[in-house]
Amino acid sequence: MATDKAVTPTEEQLEILEYNFCKVNKHPDPTTLCLIAAEAGLSEEQTLIWFKQRLAEWRKSEGLPSESGSVRD
């Protein structure tokens, strides 16, 4: 059962997610995503959703389009 609900990780889970996002990879491959999910105690789907949302926030903060693709003026 897939849900589009946002994940609200605990502070400890958030630290793990943020660390991996900032220090390891903003685009984790499926194996890395699985390891991050296991470390954080979240499902792979929840972890993937968090990474997608966090990447959109990061791109916005960098002045980039929220979705990857061609850059438009």
Side-chain angles (χ1 to χ4, degrees):
M1 177 170 73
T3 61
D4 290 335
K5 291 224 175 230
V7 180
T8 307
T10 66
E11 198 169 316
E12 188 177 318
Q13 289 170 327
L14 198 54
E15 283 179 21
I16 293 166
L17 294 168
E18 281 289 343
Y19 172 83
N20 281 284
F21 182 83
C22 295
K23 304 281 189 209
V24 181
N25 194 340
K26 289 176 177 53
H27 303 276
D29 60 57
T31 303
T32 305
L33 191 73
C34 179
L35 293 170
I36 296 168
E39 184 182 358
L42 297 167
S43 73
E44 288 179 54
E45 183 182 8
Q46 289 171 316
T47 306
L48 181 61
I49 291 168
W50 184 90
F51 265 86
K52 284 182 176 180
Q53 292 172 338
R54 183 64 180 85
L55 185 62
E57 285 175 24
W58 176 81
R59 291 180 66 82
K60 188 176 180 183
S61 74
E62 295 291 310
L64 300 167
S66 62
E67 293 293 322
S68 57
S70 63
V71 177
R72 299 184 193 130
D73 291 346

Short mmCIF file of all heavy atoms in Angstrom, two decimals:
data_model
loop_
_atom_site.label_atom_id
_atom_site.label_comp_id
_atom_site.label_asym_id
_atom_site.label_seq_id
_atom_site.Cartn_x
_atom_site.Cartn_y
_atom_site.Cartn_z
N MET A 1 0.85 -1.19 0.00
CA MET A 1 0.00 0.00 0.00
C MET A 1 0.90 1.25 0.00
O MET A 1 1.58 1.53 0.97
CB MET A 1 -0.89 -0.04 1.25
CG MET A 1 -1.76 1.18 1.41
SD MET A 1 -3.00 0.97 2.71
CE MET A 1 -2.03 1.08 4.18
N ALA A 2 0.90 1.94 -1.09
CA ALA A 2 1.73 3.15 -1.20
C ALA A 2 0.96 4.35 -0.66
O ALA A 2 -0.24 4.48 -0.88
CB ALA A 2 2.09 3.39 -2.65
N THR A 3 1.68 5.21 0.03
CA THR A 3 1.07 6.42 0.55
C THR A 3 1.92 7.60 0.14
O THR A 3 3.13 7.48 -0.01
CB THR A 3 0.96 6.39 2.08
OG1 THR A 3 2.26 6.31 2.62
CG2 THR A 3 0.12 5.25 2.57
N ASP A 4 1.30 8.73 -0.04
CA ASP A 4 2.02 9.95 -0.38
C ASP A 4 2.24 10.81 0.86
O ASP A 4 2.65 11.95 0.75
CB ASP A 4 1.25 10.75 -1.45
CG ASP A 4 1.29 10.04 -2.79
OD1 ASP A 4 2.24 9.26 -3.01
OD2 ASP A 4 0.40 10.26 -3.61
N LYS A 5 1.91 10.26 2.02
CA LYS A 5 2.08 11.03 3.26
C LYS A 5 3.55 11.29 3.53
O LYS A 5 4.38 10.44 3.31
CB LYS A 5 1.48 10.26 4.44
CG LYS A 5 -0.02 10.17 4.36
CD LYS A 5 -0.61 10.45 5.71
CE LYS A 5 -2.11 10.49 5.61
NZ LYS A 5 -2.69 11.63 6.20
N ALA A 6 3.82 12.48 4.00
CA ALA A 6 5.20 12.84 4.35
C ALA A 6 5.62 12.07 5.59
O ALA A 6 4.82 11.81 6.47
CB ALA A 6 5.29 14.34 4.59
N VAL A 7 6.87 11.71 5.62
CA VAL A 7 7.44 11.00 6.76
C VAL A 7 7.86 12.03 7.79
O VAL A 7 8.43 13.06 7.46
CB VAL A 7 8.67 10.19 6.31
CG1 VAL A 7 9.27 9.44 7.48
CG2 VAL A 7 8.32 9.25 5.18
N THR A 8 7.54 11.76 9.05
CA THR A 8 8.03 12.62 10.12
C THR A 8 8.99 11.80 10.96
O THR A 8 8.58 11.12 11.90
CB THR A 8 6.86 13.15 10.98
OG1 THR A 8 5.90 13.75 10.12
CG2 THR A 8 7.35 14.18 11.98
N PRO A 9 10.27 11.83 10.58
CA PRO A 9 11.24 11.02 11.32
C PRO A 9 11.52 11.58 12.70
O PRO A 9 11.33 12.77 12.94
CB PRO A 9 12.49 11.07 10.45
CG PRO A 9 12.28 12.14 9.44
CD PRO A 9 10.85 12.56 9.49
N THR A 10 11.97 10.73 13.58
CA THR A 10 12.38 11.17 14.91
C THR A 10 13.67 11.98 14.75
O THR A 10 14.29 11.98 13.69
CB THR A 10 12.66 9.97 15.84
OG1 THR A 10 13.79 9.26 15.32
CG2 THR A 10 11.46 9.06 15.96
N GLU A 11 14.08 12.64 15.81
CA GLU A 11 15.30 13.45 15.75
C GLU A 11 16.51 12.57 15.38
O GLU A 11 17.35 12.97 14.59
CB GLU A 11 15.52 14.12 17.11
CG GLU A 11 16.49 15.29 17.03
CD GLU A 11 16.51 16.11 18.31
OE1 GLU A 11 15.43 16.39 18.86
OE2 GLU A 11 17.62 16.45 18.74
N GLU A 12 16.55 11.39 15.96
CA GLU A 12 17.67 10.47 15.68
C GLU A 12 17.64 10.03 14.21
O GLU A 12 18.68 10.00 13.55
CB GLU A 12 17.57 9.25 16.60
CG GLU A 12 18.78 8.34 16.53
CD GLU A 12 18.68 7.16 17.50
OE1 GLU A 12 18.26 7.39 18.65
OE2 GLU A 12 19.02 6.06 17.09
N GLN A 13 16.45 9.69 13.71
CA GLN A 13 16.33 9.29 12.30
C GLN A 13 16.70 10.45 11.38
O GLN A 13 17.37 10.25 10.38
CB GLN A 13 14.89 8.84 12.01
CG GLN A 13 14.54 7.52 12.65
CD GLN A 13 13.06 7.20 12.55
OE1 GLN A 13 12.22 8.09 12.58
NE2 GLN A 13 12.74 5.93 12.44
N LEU A 14 16.28 11.65 11.76
CA LEU A 14 16.58 12.84 10.97
C LEU A 14 18.09 13.06 10.88
O LEU A 14 18.61 13.40 9.81
CB LEU A 14 15.88 14.05 11.58
CG LEU A 14 15.71 15.27 10.70
CD1 LEU A 14 15.01 14.93 9.39
CD2 LEU A 14 14.94 16.34 11.43
N GLU A 15 18.78 12.86 11.98
CA GLU A 15 20.24 13.01 11.98
C GLU A 15 20.88 12.03 10.99
O GLU A 15 21.79 12.40 10.25
CB GLU A 15 20.81 12.75 13.38
CG GLU A 15 20.60 13.91 14.33
CD GLU A 15 21.16 13.63 15.72
OE1 GLU A 15 22.03 12.74 15.85
OE2 GLU A 15 20.71 14.30 16.66
N ILE A 16 20.40 10.80 10.98
CA ILE A 16 20.93 9.78 10.07
C ILE A 16 20.64 10.19 8.62
O ILE A 16 21.52 10.14 7.76
CB ILE A 16 20.32 8.39 10.38
CG1 ILE A 16 20.80 7.90 11.75
CG2 ILE A 16 20.65 7.38 9.28
CD1 ILE A 16 20.02 6.73 12.31
N LEU A 17 19.40 10.60 8.36
CA LEU A 17 19.02 10.99 7.00
C LEU A 17 19.82 12.21 6.54
O LEU A 17 20.36 12.22 5.43
CB LEU A 17 17.51 11.29 6.95
CG LEU A 17 16.59 10.09 7.17
CD1 LEU A 17 15.16 10.56 7.40
CD2 LEU A 17 16.66 9.11 6.03
N GLU A 18 19.89 13.23 7.38
CA GLU A 18 20.63 14.44 7.02
C GLU A 18 22.11 14.15 6.79
O GLU A 18 22.70 14.66 5.85
CB GLU A 18 20.48 15.51 8.11
CG GLU A 18 19.18 16.27 8.06
CD GLU A 18 19.06 17.22 6.88
OE1 GLU A 18 20.07 17.57 6.23
OE2 GLU A 18 17.93 17.63 6.58
N TYR A 19 22.69 13.34 7.66
CA TYR A 19 24.11 13.00 7.51
C TYR A 19 24.34 12.35 6.14
O TYR A 19 25.25 12.73 5.41
CB TYR A 19 24.57 12.06 8.62
CG TYR A 19 25.97 11.55 8.38
CD1 TYR A 19 27.07 12.33 8.74
CD2 TYR A 19 26.21 10.33 7.76
CE1 TYR A 19 28.37 11.89 8.50
CE2 TYR A 19 27.49 9.89 7.50
CZ TYR A 19 28.57 10.68 7.88
OH TYR A 19 29.85 10.24 7.62
N ASN A 20 23.50 11.37 5.82
CA ASN A 20 23.67 10.67 4.55
C ASN A 20 23.41 11.58 3.36
O ASN A 20 24.10 11.49 2.34
CB ASN A 20 22.77 9.43 4.50
CG ASN A 20 23.36 8.28 5.29
OD1 ASN A 20 24.28 7.62 4.85
ND2 ASN A 20 22.84 8.07 6.50
N PHE A 21 22.44 12.48 3.49
CA PHE A 21 22.14 13.42 2.40
C PHE A 21 23.32 14.36 2.16
O PHE A 21 23.73 14.58 1.03
CB PHE A 21 20.88 14.22 2.73
CG PHE A 21 20.46 15.17 1.63
CD1 PHE A 21 19.72 14.71 0.56
CD2 PHE A 21 20.82 16.51 1.67
CE1 PHE A 21 19.33 15.59 -0.46
CE2 PHE A 21 20.45 17.38 0.67
CZ PHE A 21 19.70 16.92 -0.40
N CYS A 22 23.86 14.91 3.23
CA CYS A 22 24.92 15.92 3.12
C CYS A 22 26.30 15.33 2.89
O CYS A 22 27.10 15.89 2.14
CB CYS A 22 24.95 16.79 4.38
SG CYS A 22 23.45 17.76 4.60
N LYS A 23 26.60 14.21 3.53
CA LYS A 23 27.97 13.69 3.52
C LYS A 23 28.18 12.50 2.58
O LYS A 23 29.28 12.24 2.16
CB LYS A 23 28.38 13.25 4.93
CG LYS A 23 28.27 14.32 5.97
CD LYS A 23 29.43 15.27 5.92
CE LYS A 23 29.39 16.20 7.11
NZ LYS A 23 29.97 17.49 6.85
N VAL A 24 27.12 11.76 2.29
CA VAL A 24 27.28 10.53 1.52
C VAL A 24 26.81 10.73 0.08
O VAL A 24 27.62 10.72 -0.84
CB VAL A 24 26.56 9.34 2.18
CG1 VAL A 24 26.75 8.06 1.37
CG2 VAL A 24 27.07 9.15 3.61
N ASN A 25 25.52 10.94 -0.12
CA ASN A 25 25.00 11.02 -1.48
C ASN A 25 23.60 11.61 -1.47
O ASN A 25 22.74 11.12 -0.75
CB ASN A 25 24.97 9.61 -2.10
CG ASN A 25 24.78 9.62 -3.59
OD1 ASN A 25 24.31 10.60 -4.16
ND2 ASN A 25 25.14 8.54 -4.23
N LYS A 26 23.39 12.64 -2.29
CA LYS A 26 22.04 13.21 -2.41
C LYS A 26 21.14 12.33 -3.27
O LYS A 26 19.93 12.46 -3.25
CB LYS A 26 22.13 14.62 -3.02
CG LYS A 26 22.73 15.63 -2.04
CD LYS A 26 22.89 16.98 -2.70
CE LYS A 26 23.41 18.03 -1.75
NZ LYS A 26 24.63 17.67 -1.04
N HIS A 27 21.75 11.44 -4.05
CA HIS A 27 21.01 10.52 -4.93
C HIS A 27 21.46 9.09 -4.64
O HIS A 27 22.18 8.50 -5.44
CB HIS A 27 21.29 10.85 -6.40
CG HIS A 27 20.97 12.24 -6.79
ND1 HIS A 27 19.70 12.64 -7.13
CD2 HIS A 27 21.75 13.34 -6.89
CE1 HIS A 27 19.72 13.94 -7.43
NE2 HIS A 27 20.95 14.38 -7.29
N PRO A 28 21.05 8.52 -3.49
CA PRO A 28 21.53 7.17 -3.16
C PRO A 28 20.99 6.12 -4.13
O PRO A 28 19.83 6.21 -4.56
CB PRO A 28 20.99 6.94 -1.75
CG PRO A 28 19.83 7.86 -1.62
CD PRO A 28 20.13 9.05 -2.49
N ASP A 29 21.84 5.16 -4.47
CA ASP A 29 21.39 4.05 -5.31
C ASP A 29 20.52 3.13 -4.45
O ASP A 29 20.48 3.29 -3.22
CB ASP A 29 22.59 3.32 -5.92
CG ASP A 29 23.51 2.75 -4.87
OD1 ASP A 29 23.05 1.96 -4.03
OD2 ASP A 29 24.70 3.11 -4.87
N PRO A 30 19.82 2.18 -5.07
CA PRO A 30 18.90 1.33 -4.28
C PRO A 30 19.57 0.60 -3.11
O PRO A 30 18.97 0.48 -2.05
CB PRO A 30 18.38 0.32 -5.33
CG PRO A 30 18.45 1.07 -6.62
CD PRO A 30 19.69 1.94 -6.51
N THR A 31 20.80 0.15 -3.29
CA THR A 31 21.49 -0.55 -2.20
C THR A 31 21.78 0.40 -1.05
O THR A 31 21.53 0.08 0.12
CB THR A 31 22.82 -1.16 -2.72
OG1 THR A 31 22.52 -2.03 -3.81
CG2 THR A 31 23.52 -1.94 -1.62
N THR A 32 22.30 1.59 -1.37
CA THR A 32 22.60 2.58 -0.34
C THR A 32 21.32 3.02 0.35
O THR A 32 21.28 3.15 1.57
CB THR A 32 23.32 3.80 -0.96
OG1 THR A 32 24.48 3.34 -1.66
CG2 THR A 32 23.73 4.80 0.10
N LEU A 33 20.26 3.22 -0.42
CA LEU A 33 18.96 3.62 0.15
C LEU A 33 18.47 2.56 1.14
O LEU A 33 18.01 2.90 2.23
CB LEU A 33 17.94 3.81 -0.97
CG LEU A 33 16.63 4.46 -0.55
CD1 LEU A 33 16.84 5.95 -0.28
CD2 LEU A 33 15.57 4.27 -1.60
N CYS A 34 18.64 1.30 0.79
CA CYS A 34 18.24 0.20 1.66
C CYS A 34 19.03 0.24 2.97
O CYS A 34 18.46 0.07 4.05
CB CYS A 34 18.46 -1.13 0.94
SG CYS A 34 18.02 -2.57 1.91
N LEU A 35 20.33 0.50 2.88
CA LEU A 35 21.18 0.57 4.07
C LEU A 35 20.80 1.76 4.95
O LEU A 35 20.74 1.64 6.18
CB LEU A 35 22.65 0.66 3.67
CG LEU A 35 23.22 -0.60 3.00
CD1 LEU A 35 24.60 -0.31 2.43
CD2 LEU A 35 23.26 -1.76 3.97
N ILE A 36 20.53 2.91 4.33
CA ILE A 36 20.13 4.10 5.08
C ILE A 36 18.79 3.84 5.79
O ILE A 36 18.62 4.17 6.96
CB ILE A 36 20.03 5.34 4.16
CG1 ILE A 36 21.41 5.69 3.59
CG2 ILE A 36 19.43 6.53 4.92
CD1 ILE A 36 21.36 6.70 2.45
N ALA A 37 17.85 3.24 5.05
CA ALA A 37 16.54 2.92 5.63
C ALA A 37 16.69 2.00 6.84
O ALA A 37 16.08 2.23 7.88
CB ALA A 37 15.64 2.28 4.57
N ALA A 38 17.53 0.98 6.70
CA ALA A 38 17.74 0.04 7.80
C ALA A 38 18.38 0.75 8.99
O ALA A 38 17.97 0.54 10.14
CB ALA A 38 18.62 -1.12 7.33
N GLU A 39 19.37 1.59 8.73
CA GLU A 39 20.05 2.31 9.81
C GLU A 39 19.09 3.25 10.54
O GLU A 39 19.13 3.37 11.76
CB GLU A 39 21.22 3.12 9.23
CG GLU A 39 22.04 3.82 10.29
CD GLU A 39 23.17 4.67 9.72
OE1 GLU A 39 23.36 4.69 8.49
OE2 GLU A 39 23.85 5.32 10.52
N ALA A 40 18.20 3.89 9.77
CA ALA A 40 17.27 4.85 10.35
C ALA A 40 16.02 4.18 10.93
O ALA A 40 15.26 4.81 11.65
CB ALA A 40 16.86 5.88 9.30
N GLY A 41 15.80 2.92 10.59
CA GLY A 41 14.60 2.23 11.07
C GLY A 41 13.35 2.66 10.34
O GLY A 41 12.25 2.65 10.88
N LEU A 42 13.52 3.05 9.07
CA LEU A 42 12.39 3.46 8.23
C LEU A 42 12.27 2.48 7.06
O LEU A 42 13.22 1.75 6.76
CB LEU A 42 12.63 4.86 7.67
CG LEU A 42 12.72 6.00 8.68
CD1 LEU A 42 13.28 7.26 8.02
CD2 LEU A 42 11.36 6.29 9.29
N SER A 43 11.12 2.49 6.38
CA SER A 43 10.99 1.66 5.19
C SER A 43 11.77 2.32 4.05
O SER A 43 12.07 3.52 4.09
CB SER A 43 9.51 1.51 4.79
OG SER A 43 9.04 2.72 4.24
N GLU A 44 12.10 1.53 3.04
CA GLU A 44 12.80 2.09 1.88
C GLU A 44 11.94 3.16 1.21
O GLU A 44 12.46 4.18 0.77
CB GLU A 44 13.15 0.98 0.88
CG GLU A 44 14.26 0.09 1.38
CD GLU A 44 14.59 -1.03 0.41
OE1 GLU A 44 14.86 -0.73 -0.76
OE2 GLU A 44 14.56 -2.20 0.84
N GLU A 45 10.63 2.91 1.16
CA GLU A 45 9.72 3.88 0.54
C GLU A 45 9.73 5.21 1.31
O GLU A 45 9.82 6.28 0.71
CB GLU A 45 8.30 3.32 0.49
CG GLU A 45 7.32 4.24 -0.22
CD GLU A 45 5.89 3.72 -0.23
OE1 GLU A 45 5.62 2.70 0.45
OE2 GLU A 45 5.07 4.33 -0.90
N GLN A 46 9.67 5.13 2.64
CA GLN A 46 9.70 6.35 3.46
C GLN A 46 11.01 7.09 3.26
O GLN A 46 11.03 8.32 3.16
CB GLN A 46 9.55 6.00 4.94
CG GLN A 46 8.18 5.52 5.34
CD GLN A 46 8.18 4.99 6.77
OE1 GLN A 46 9.07 4.25 7.18
NE2 GLN A 46 7.16 5.37 7.53
N THR A 47 12.10 6.35 3.19
CA THR A 47 13.42 6.95 3.02
C THR A 47 13.53 7.61 1.65
O THR A 47 14.03 8.74 1.53
CB THR A 47 14.52 5.88 3.21
OG1 THR A 47 14.32 5.24 4.47
CG2 THR A 47 15.90 6.50 3.16
N LEU A 48 13.03 6.94 0.62
CA LEU A 48 13.05 7.50 -0.73
C LEU A 48 12.24 8.79 -0.80
O LEU A 48 12.68 9.79 -1.36
CB LEU A 48 12.51 6.48 -1.73
CG LEU A 48 12.49 6.93 -3.20
CD1 LEU A 48 13.90 7.23 -3.69
CD2 LEU A 48 11.83 5.87 -4.06
N ILE A 49 11.06 8.79 -0.19
CA ILE A 49 10.21 9.99 -0.17
C ILE A 49 10.93 11.12 0.54
O ILE A 49 10.95 12.26 0.08
CB ILE A 49 8.84 9.69 0.50
CG1 ILE A 49 8.01 8.77 -0.41
CG2 ILE A 49 8.09 10.98 0.79
CD1 ILE A 49 6.78 8.19 0.26
N TRP A 50 11.57 10.81 1.68
CA TRP A 50 12.30 11.85 2.42
C TRP A 50 13.41 12.43 1.56
O TRP A 50 13.56 13.65 1.49
CB TRP A 50 12.87 11.28 3.72
CG TRP A 50 13.53 12.35 4.54
CD1 TRP A 50 12.92 13.12 5.49
CD2 TRP A 50 14.88 12.80 4.46
NE1 TRP A 50 13.83 14.03 6.00
CE2 TRP A 50 15.04 13.85 5.38
CE3 TRP A 50 15.97 12.42 3.69
CZ2 TRP A 50 16.25 14.52 5.56
CZ3 TRP A 50 17.18 13.09 3.87
CH2 TRP A 50 17.31 14.12 4.79
N PHE A 51 14.18 11.57 0.88
CA PHE A 51 15.27 12.05 0.03
C PHE A 51 14.74 12.92 -1.11
O PHE A 51 15.33 13.95 -1.43
CB PHE A 51 16.10 10.88 -0.52
CG PHE A 51 17.32 10.58 0.31
CD1 PHE A 51 17.24 9.74 1.41
CD2 PHE A 51 18.54 11.14 0.01
CE1 PHE A 51 18.35 9.48 2.20
CE2 PHE A 51 19.67 10.89 0.78
CZ PHE A 51 19.57 10.05 1.88
N LYS A 52 13.63 12.52 -1.72
CA LYS A 52 13.05 13.32 -2.81
C LYS A 52 12.64 14.70 -2.31
O LYS A 52 12.90 15.71 -2.95
CB LYS A 52 11.83 12.60 -3.42
CG LYS A 52 12.20 11.46 -4.33
CD LYS A 52 10.96 10.85 -4.93
CE LYS A 52 11.30 9.75 -5.92
NZ LYS A 52 10.09 9.15 -6.49
N GLN A 53 11.98 14.73 -1.15
CA GLN A 53 11.54 16.02 -0.59
C GLN A 53 12.73 16.87 -0.18
O GLN A 53 12.75 18.07 -0.41
CB GLN A 53 10.61 15.77 0.61
CG GLN A 53 9.29 15.17 0.22
CD GLN A 53 8.46 14.76 1.41
OE1 GLN A 53 8.95 14.53 2.50
NE2 GLN A 53 7.16 14.62 1.19
N ARG A 54 13.73 16.24 0.42
CA ARG A 54 14.91 16.96 0.88
C ARG A 54 15.70 17.51 -0.31
O ARG A 54 16.22 18.62 -0.27
CB ARG A 54 15.77 16.02 1.72
CG ARG A 54 17.01 16.66 2.32
CD ARG A 54 16.64 17.75 3.32
NE ARG A 54 17.82 18.36 3.88
CZ ARG A 54 18.50 19.36 3.31
NH1 ARG A 54 18.12 19.86 2.16
NH2 ARG A 54 19.57 19.86 3.89
N LEU A 55 15.76 16.73 -1.40
CA LEU A 55 16.47 17.17 -2.60
C LEU A 55 15.75 18.38 -3.21
O LEU A 55 16.39 19.34 -3.63
CB LEU A 55 16.56 16.03 -3.62
CG LEU A 55 17.38 16.35 -4.87
CD1 LEU A 55 18.83 16.65 -4.53
CD2 LEU A 55 17.30 15.20 -5.86
N ALA A 56 14.42 18.35 -3.22
CA ALA A 56 13.65 19.48 -3.74
C ALA A 56 13.91 20.73 -2.91
O ALA A 56 14.10 21.83 -3.45
CB ALA A 56 12.16 19.16 -3.77
N GLU A 57 13.96 20.58 -1.57
CA GLU A 57 14.28 21.71 -0.68
C GLU A 57 15.68 22.24 -0.96
O GLU A 57 15.90 23.44 -1.03
CB GLU A 57 14.23 21.27 0.79
CG GLU A 57 12.86 21.07 1.35
CD GLU A 57 12.93 20.51 2.77
OE1 GLU A 57 13.95 20.71 3.46
OE2 GLU A 57 11.95 19.86 3.18
N TRP A 58 16.63 21.32 -1.11
CA TRP A 58 18.01 21.71 -1.36
C TRP A 58 18.14 22.45 -2.69
O TRP A 58 18.78 23.49 -2.76
CB TRP A 58 18.92 20.46 -1.36
CG TRP A 58 20.34 20.78 -1.70
CD1 TRP A 58 21.29 21.28 -0.86
CD2 TRP A 58 20.97 20.66 -2.97
NE1 TRP A 58 22.48 21.45 -1.54
CE2 TRP A 58 22.31 21.08 -2.84
CE3 TRP A 58 20.53 20.21 -4.23
CZ2 TRP A 58 23.20 21.08 -3.90
CZ3 TRP A 58 21.43 20.22 -5.28
CH2 TRP A 58 22.74 20.65 -5.11
N ARG A 59 17.49 21.91 -3.73
CA ARG A 59 17.56 22.56 -5.05
C ARG A 59 16.97 23.97 -4.98
O ARG A 59 17.51 24.91 -5.55
CB ARG A 59 16.82 21.73 -6.10
CG ARG A 59 17.55 20.41 -6.41
CD ARG A 59 16.79 19.59 -7.45
NE ARG A 59 16.77 20.26 -8.74
CZ ARG A 59 17.77 20.24 -9.62
NH1 ARG A 59 18.86 19.55 -9.37
NH2 ARG A 59 17.67 20.89 -10.76
N LYS A 60 15.87 24.12 -4.25
CA LYS A 60 15.24 25.44 -4.10
C LYS A 60 16.17 26.40 -3.38
O LYS A 60 16.33 27.56 -3.77
CB LYS A 60 13.92 25.28 -3.34
CG LYS A 60 13.08 26.54 -3.30
CD LYS A 60 11.75 26.26 -2.62
CE LYS A 60 10.90 27.50 -2.56
NZ LYS A 60 9.65 27.27 -1.85
N SER A 61 16.83 25.91 -2.32
CA SER A 61 17.74 26.76 -1.56
C SER A 61 18.96 27.16 -2.39
O SER A 61 19.58 28.19 -2.13
CB SER A 61 18.18 26.07 -0.27
OG SER A 61 19.13 25.05 -0.53
N GLU A 62 19.31 26.34 -3.38
CA GLU A 62 20.45 26.63 -4.25
C GLU A 62 20.02 27.46 -5.46
O GLU A 62 20.84 27.76 -6.32
CB GLU A 62 21.07 25.31 -4.74
CG GLU A 62 21.70 24.47 -3.66
CD GLU A 62 22.95 25.11 -3.07
OE1 GLU A 62 23.84 25.51 -3.84
OE2 GLU A 62 23.03 25.21 -1.83
N GLY A 63 18.74 27.80 -5.54
CA GLY A 63 18.24 28.58 -6.66
C GLY A 63 18.06 27.76 -7.92
O GLY A 63 18.06 28.29 -9.03
N LEU A 64 17.90 26.45 -7.75
CA LEU A 64 17.70 25.55 -8.89
C LEU A 64 16.23 25.16 -8.98
O LEU A 64 15.51 25.26 -7.98
CB LEU A 64 18.55 24.28 -8.70
CG LEU A 64 20.06 24.49 -8.58
CD1 LEU A 64 20.74 23.22 -8.09
CD2 LEU A 64 20.64 24.91 -9.91
N PRO A 65 15.79 24.69 -10.15
CA PRO A 65 14.40 24.20 -10.21
C PRO A 65 14.23 23.02 -9.25
O PRO A 65 15.17 22.26 -9.04
CB PRO A 65 14.25 23.73 -11.66
CG PRO A 65 15.48 24.12 -12.39
CD PRO A 65 16.50 24.55 -11.38
N SER A 66 13.04 22.88 -8.67
CA SER A 66 12.84 21.83 -7.68
C SER A 66 12.92 20.43 -8.30
O SER A 66 13.25 19.47 -7.64
CB SER A 66 11.52 22.00 -6.95
OG SER A 66 10.46 21.92 -7.85
N GLU A 67 12.62 20.32 -9.57
CA GLU A 67 12.73 19.06 -10.28
C GLU A 67 13.93 19.11 -11.20
O GLU A 67 14.22 20.15 -11.78
CB GLU A 67 11.47 18.77 -11.11
CG GLU A 67 10.23 18.54 -10.30
CD GLU A 67 10.30 17.26 -9.48
OE1 GLU A 67 10.83 16.25 -9.98
OE2 GLU A 67 9.83 17.28 -8.34
N SER A 68 14.63 17.99 -11.33
CA SER A 68 15.76 17.97 -12.25
C SER A 68 15.24 18.01 -13.68
O SER A 68 14.13 17.60 -13.96
CB SER A 68 16.62 16.73 -12.02
OG SER A 68 15.84 15.58 -12.15
N GLY A 69 16.04 18.52 -14.53
CA GLY A 69 15.64 18.67 -15.93
C GLY A 69 16.35 19.86 -16.52
O GLY A 69 17.34 20.33 -15.97
N SER A 70 15.84 20.37 -17.61
CA SER A 70 16.52 21.50 -18.23
C SER A 70 16.30 22.77 -17.39
O SER A 70 15.26 22.94 -16.77
CB SER A 70 15.99 21.72 -19.65
OG SER A 70 14.62 22.04 -19.61
N VAL A 71 17.31 23.60 -17.40
CA VAL A 71 17.22 24.87 -16.67
C VAL A 71 16.61 25.90 -17.59
O VAL A 71 17.04 26.08 -18.72
CB VAL A 71 18.62 25.33 -16.20
CG1 VAL A 71 18.55 26.67 -15.50
CG2 VAL A 71 19.25 24.28 -15.31
N ARG A 72 15.59 26.59 -17.09
CA ARG A 72 14.90 27.60 -17.90
C ARG A 72 15.05 28.96 -17.26
O ARG A 72 15.07 29.06 -16.06
CB ARG A 72 13.41 27.27 -18.02
CG ARG A 72 13.16 25.95 -18.70
CD ARG A 72 11.66 25.73 -18.87
NE ARG A 72 11.44 24.36 -19.24
CZ ARG A 72 10.58 23.55 -18.66
NH1 ARG A 72 9.83 23.99 -17.67
NH2 ARG A 72 10.44 22.31 -19.04
N ASP A 73 15.09 29.98 -18.09
CA ASP A 73 15.17 31.36 -17.57
C ASP A 73 13.81 31.83 -17.13
O ASP A 73 12.83 31.56 -17.73
CB ASP A 73 15.71 32.31 -18.63
CG ASP A 73 17.20 32.04 -18.90
OD1 ASP A 73 17.82 31.33 -18.10
OD2 ASP A 73 17.69 32.55 -19.89
#
